[in-house]
Amino acid sequence: MNMRPLKENQDVTGDLAARFAKLGVKNSSARSEIYPPIEPNRTGFLQVSDIHSLYWEESGNPEGQPILFLHGGPGSGTSGGNRRFFDPEFYRIILFDQRGAGKSTPHACLEDNTTWALVSDIEKLRGHLKIEKWQVFGGSWGSTLALTYTQSYPERVTGVIMRGIFLLRKKEIDWFYQGGAAAIYPDAWEPYRGHIPVEERGDFLEAYSKRLNSPDESVQLAAAKAWTNWEMATSYLVPNDESLKRGENEKFALAFARVENHYFRNKGFFRTDSFLLENIDKIRHIPAVIVQGRYDMVCPMVSAWDLHRAWPEADFRLVTSAGHSANEPSIAAELVIACELHKALTQKQL
């Protein structure tokens, strides 16, 4: 069967009425602009184990519809800009820094740091905040965690919004860390590759792990910067100076590189390579939106496509004018629209 390539979304709002109708709700909003900056209403730390204490924050409407933002990496942490995808008058916006990331302590810690520990942390945070059910929003690694948590606790999730799909399969790891994406970004690849001696390049994850866990802090930092700069250089369709600067921030780079490498070497702590696809039936009934940049070099479109094929009930949005980052205008617009869709669906059910 011949299938034509998917076309770019129609000016992002062009088919919005049809998308609302698919969910059985009226087109009550066509907003696609991110919201103005806001500050948290309250913040805190939650002790989730003998080792780890997680930073969390809440903003928006304290009595509103809860929505949980799951950051990427793993290891990147949250930032104020993450609050801006959500209507602060409607949503009770929850952010937290995962183990080893952001303001959570201990920083860049790998001990007792697994996907399943994070799933448990999310449930502890939900209980701590006295939330019965919430929507879940995540991009890149955040999409991985969103799927894992939702499949573990489908009764606690009212909707899922995902961007830059990452299923943490071997072919995805090999694409980005063993040289696939280097065909598009050979200039950015050279420093990442060059940091590792020729004889160790058969397994970059292992080679970087050796250095990221070195007892010599200078060795750790040098490897962390090389690792992080590679991802920062490839995250936007058009290179972004702010993204590139993050790779030079030693504190950010160390957590980002150490935690990412730890998870990827351990195959996400999943039992099988296609674990998340194999468990879609558990969440098929939950309203979901998948947003994917066609030119995403970090999490290439094949993963979003495979998820779309496994979960056709989800609203699949291909953005051909974007790469990986949620901060690219066309990606951000689709994410805001997705939140508006879920807002309308929630209002219908009230």
Side-chain angles (χ1 to χ4, degrees):
M1 180 179 71
N2 293 326
M3 179 178 287
R4 294 181 180 180
L6 294 181
K7 295 181 179 180
E8 182 173 0
N9 298 343
Q10 301 174 9
D11 192 19
V12 292
T13 60
D15 58 349
L16 193 55
R19 295 172 64 193
F20 273 88
K22 183 180 178 182
L23 292 175
V25 296
K26 293 182 179 179
N27 183 0
S28 59
S29 173
R31 184 185 180 100
S32 61
E33 301 85 7
I34 59 174
Y35 285 88
I38 56 172
E39 294 300 317
N41 302 324
R42 59 181 185 142
T43 65
F45 284 84
L46 179 64
Q47 193 75 36
V48 292
S49 75
D50 292 340
I51 301 170
H52 294 276
S53 179
L54 305 187
Y55 168 80
W56 63 269
E57 64 172 61
E58 183 178 303
S59 57
N61 182 353
E63 304 299 322
Q65 166 65 33
I67 189 163
L68 174 68
F69 178 93
L70 297 173
H71 68 69
S76 69
T78 57
S79 66
N82 301 148
R83 309 175 195 125
R84 300 184 64 187
F85 299 109
F86 316 106
D87 180 351
E89 295 185 3
F90 179 80
Y91 280 111
R92 180 183 175 188
I93 305 161
I94 312 297
L95 277 62
F96 82 100
D97 290 335
Q98 298 158 28
R99 297 190 182 203
K103 298 176 183 177
S104 293
T105 60
H107 185 70
C109 177
L110 306 184
E111 186 177 352
D112 193 23
N113 195 342
T114 72
T115 304
W116 302 109
L118 297 185
V119 168
S120 176
D121 293 346
I122 293 170
E123 268 298 275
K124 289 175 181 176
L125 180 61
R126 185 189 60 77
H128 178 71
L129 297 176
K130 296 180 173 58
I131 293 171
E132 182 181 357
K133 297 181 179 181
W134 48 10
Q135 294 176 20
V136 178
F137 179 111
S140 192
W141 159 257
S143 75
T144 318
L145 187 56
L147 286 167
T148 309
Y149 172 74
T150 303
Q151 290 175 5
S152 300
Y153 295 96
E155 72 279 6
R156 298 299 183 185
V157 179
T158 60
V160 189
I161 298 169
M162 297 166 289
R163 181 268 314 166
I165 302 302
F166 181 40
L167 302 175
L168 225 159
R169 296 172 294 179
K170 184 179 185 299
K171 66 180 181 181
E172 297 168 66
I173 297 295
D174 287 348
W175 159 263
F176 195 67
Y177 293 105
Q178 281 298 135
I184 312 299
Y185 284 95
D187 48 344
W189 174 256
E190 279 195 7
Y192 170 87
R193 182 190 62 189
H195 193 75
I196 303 301
V198 173
E199 61 272 16
E200 295 184 59
R201 292 178 186 172
D203 189 342
F204 280 102
L205 292 187
E206 190 61 37
Y208 268 95
S209 175
K210 177 181 174 182
R211 289 155 180 82
L212 291 167
N213 293 285
S214 168
D216 186 331
E217 185 176 341
S218 65
V219 172
Q220 285 189 32
L221 287 173
K225 286 184 178 181
W227 176 285
T228 305
N229 281 331
W230 164 236
E231 186 161 336
M232 297 302 107
T234 52
S235 290
Y236 285 75
L237 180 61
V238 177
N240 179 278
D241 288 341
E242 289 302 313
S243 179
L244 294 172
K245 288 177 184 176
R246 296 184 83 191
E248 296 303 317
N249 181 315
E250 292 184 352
K251 183 177 181 181
F252 171 81
L254 187 63
F256 187 77
R258 276 173 55 85
V259 179
E260 272 200 342
N261 177 271
H262 168 67
Y263 273 70
F264 300 164
R265 281 183 64 245
N266 285 285
K267 302 175 183 179
F269 303 93
F270 293 128
R271 290 185 285 275
T272 62
D273 193 51
S274 295
F275 180 83
L276 295 174
L277 293 178
E278 292 164 2
N279 285 277
I280 287 297
D281 280 346
K282 295 179 179 179
I283 62 173
R284 192 175 301 282
H285 62 288
I286 298 175
V289 179
I290 301 166
V291 176
Q292 179 68 35
R294 180 178 283 282
Y295 300 108
D296 189 333
M297 292 295 115
V298 181
C299 298
M301 181 186 156
V302 65
S303 298
W305 187 252
D306 290 345
L307 181 60
H308 165 57
R309 285 305 198 190
W311 195 3
E313 297 85 355
D315 186 12
F316 180 62
R317 310 304 299 168
L318 177 64
V319 185
T320 63
S321 58
H324 180 67
S325 176
N327 296 320
E328 294 183 73
S330 51
I331 294 282
E334 281 289 356
L335 293 173
V336 172
I337 290 171
C339 293
E340 295 296 305
L341 282 165
H342 280 259
K343 179 174 75 174
L345 183 60
T346 301
Q347 290 171 327
K348 176 194 173 187
Q349 296 169 343
L350 292 177

